[in-house]
Amino acid sequence: MNLEPLNLPHAEGFPPILAGPCSAETEEQVMATAAALAALGFSIFRAGVWKPRTKPGGFEGVGEAALPWLQRVKRETGMLVAIEVATPDHVKAARQYGIDIFWIGARTTANPFAVQALADCMGETDIPVLVKNPLNPDIELWIGALQRLNRAGVKRLAAINRGFSIYGSHLYRNLPMWQVSVELRRRYPQLPVFCDPSHIAGRADLIESLCQQALDMAFDGLIIESHCRPGEAWSDAEQQVTPERLHRILSRVEVRNGGVLPEGIVELRRQIDEIDARIVEILAERMTVSRKIGAWKKTHNMTVLQSRRYNEILDRREAQALQKDMNAMFVKKVFACIHEESVRQQIEIMKPHAKDGIEA
């Protein structure tokens, strides 16, 4: 992707923070929240103007009527203002009122037609655009949305991890699934990635720990919901905090040093590299044996998959993991992947064109 720096304002030693209410409800609520945030040193105000709701009948935002309130925020506090846009009409209206930053919500990200429509109307915009991950953990869909915008000319671009929706009951409203963001950064190291602890948490009491985790993982910024009276919020009241509480939260978290590495950690990384290299060599040896087993099964007309044997492997490795004070579920996942590859290689051996032995 062809990207340019976001150049967003931020306090020294801290990444950019977008703070403000889930929804712009009234002019009084917007101005009270913005004034409190500005007084505490925040420089970017976020607010939901158009609110996509899962079911009809809920509060869907006041719409364009809120945009003059955000103009007033800019005029009276000097803060930049950011809103979510989901249609070309939203973009057109936001531009007329001088909105500084756009973000694209999870539901919109999941729809390539909607993203393309936004990309077409944004064109060579200089406005920063932040793209939330889709609801499901599909990194290709997330990347596709970012690429559509970038190819249309949006160069001040960033991603937002707002968590992923998974069926069932969990601690968080949306699972952070940090590994998806790690993979995104691996593929596009120049792409800034923000974290939305409010939507991940779903609860105000979890926001501080999530902020710390995001900063520990070198996220490039945070977008956090803050309301002057969270208990009276018209949407997502449980995950919003007052400006004063947000300030206390951020005063307690630590920003880690991402600069020059000390010699001690360089040596430890060297050891990790050596261990990783040995792991690959051991895996290669295991796959060689697996292919020999596949050839033996082919000769003796046996099925590749032997469920009892697979269960034995997982049970033994789980027990070993517990003895070594390791996470048993992690070890089971590793060996499930190893077994999947072993089965794949044995299936290749079983094919009529394959030679018996290890050359398949």
Side-chain angles (χ1 to χ4, degrees):
M1 283 188 276
N2 181 16
L3 301 174
E4 295 178 357
L6 287 179
N7 291 329
L8 297 181
H10 57 91
E12 185 177 355
F14 219 87
I17 307 293
L18 283 68
C22 173
S23 303
E25 301 161 356
T26 67
E27 185 171 8
E28 182 275 334
Q29 168 250 4
V30 166
M31 294 308 303
T33 306
L37 288 167
L40 292 167
F42 293 92
S43 53
I44 307 175
F45 184 78
R46 57 133 292 155
V49 173
W50 297 278
K51 299 295 298 179
R53 311 306 294 177
T54 301
K55 296 179 180 178
F59 175 61
E60 297 183 336
V62 300
E64 192 169 339
L67 295 178
W69 308 341
L70 299 182
Q71 272 191 325
R72 185 180 167 196
V73 168
K74 288 184 62 173
R75 185 172 62 251
E76 296 185 13
T77 71
M79 300 175 80
L80 300 183
V81 291
I83 67 168
E84 177 178 346
V85 292
T87 72
D89 286 342
H90 293 172
V91 174
K92 181 179 179 181
R95 280 176 162 165
Q96 291 174 346
Y97 285 90
I99 300 301
D100 301 292
I101 301 166
F102 296 153
W103 81 80
I104 295 175
R107 292 173 176 85
T108 305
T109 300
N111 185 337
F113 294 110
V115 175
Q116 190 61 56
L118 289 171
D120 291 342
C121 75
M122 288 178 183
E124 297 283 343
T125 183
D126 191 46
I127 297 175
V129 180
L130 284 59
V131 182
K132 291 193 174 185
N133 58 264
L135 293 173
N136 60 313
D138 185 343
I139 191 171
E140 302 303 336
L141 196 57
W142 198 4
I143 289 172
L146 291 159
Q147 289 177 336
R148 287 178 188 275
L149 291 159
N150 191 235
R151 290 179 181 180
V154 180
K155 295 184 174 62
R156 297 176 69 190
L157 194 61
I160 302 174
N161 180 342
R162 50 82 72 199
F164 299 88
S165 296
I166 302 293
Y167 181 76
S169 178
H170 303 279
L171 173 63
Y172 298 124
R173 177 182 178 183
N174 297 289
L175 298 185
M177 300 185 72
W178 303 115
Q179 68 273 19
V180 181
S181 295
V182 169
E183 175 62 14
L184 180 65
R185 299 187 76 165
R186 185 190 69 80
R187 296 197 202 181
Y188 299 99
Q190 77 277 31
L191 176 73
V193 183
F194 283 54
C195 180
D196 179 350
S198 302
H199 277 88
I200 292 174
R203 290 166 38 188
D205 62 306
L206 297 174
I207 288 175
E208 181 173 339
S209 63
L210 285 165
C211 287
Q212 187 63 69
Q213 288 179 65
L215 294 175
D216 289 347
M217 298 181 67
F219 274 70
D220 300 286
L222 302 170
I223 176 168
I224 309 174
E225 292 186 349
S226 179
H227 192 294
C228 57
R229 295 179 296 275
E232 301 174 16
W234 297 1
S235 58
D236 287 346
E238 297 83 2
Q239 66 190 41
Q240 301 191 65
V241 296
T242 63
E244 294 75 19
R245 184 175 178 183
L246 176 57
H247 185 261
R248 289 196 300 272
I249 287 171
L250 295 178
S251 69
R252 289 193 292 260
V253 299
E254 295 185 43
V255 180
R256 309 299 183 188
N257 180 13
V260 178
L261 295 175
E263 183 60 32
I265 197 169
V266 171
E267 169 58 21
L268 291 172
R269 285 186 171 182
R270 184 193 63 76
Q271 294 177 31
I272 286 288
D273 289 342
E274 290 182 358
I275 294 168
D276 287 347
R278 293 206 306 271
I279 289 172
V280 173
E281 293 295 331
I282 291 169
L283 287 173
E285 291 178 21
R286 191 189 195 281
M287 293 307 158
T288 297
V289 176
S290 292
R291 290 194 292 271
K292 289 179 179 179
I293 291 173
W296 195 93
K297 289 176 179 177
K298 181 177 181 180
T299 301
H300 293 80
N301 199 29
M302 291 179 62
T303 59
V304 167
L305 185 60
Q306 301 286 318
S307 297
R308 181 179 296 178
R309 169 62 176 164
Y310 179 40
N311 289 331
E312 287 176 357
I313 290 172
L314 294 184
D315 290 344
R316 289 175 183 172
R317 299 294 79 83
E318 180 179 11
Q320 184 181 8
L322 293 172
Q323 291 175 357
K324 298 293 185 181
D325 197 25
M326 294 180 66
N327 185 300
M329 185 58 66
F330 160 71
V331 173
K332 288 183 74 172
K333 287 181 179 179
V334 169
F335 276 89
C337 290
I338 292 172
H339 182 264
E340 181 181 346
E341 175 61 15
S342 295
V343 168
R344 187 193 69 79
Q345 296 213 20
Q346 290 184 25
I347 287 174
E348 287 295 315
I349 290 286
M350 288 288 193
K351 290 179 179 179
H353 65 271
K355 298 179 181 178
D356 289 351
I358 65 172
E359 295 86 6

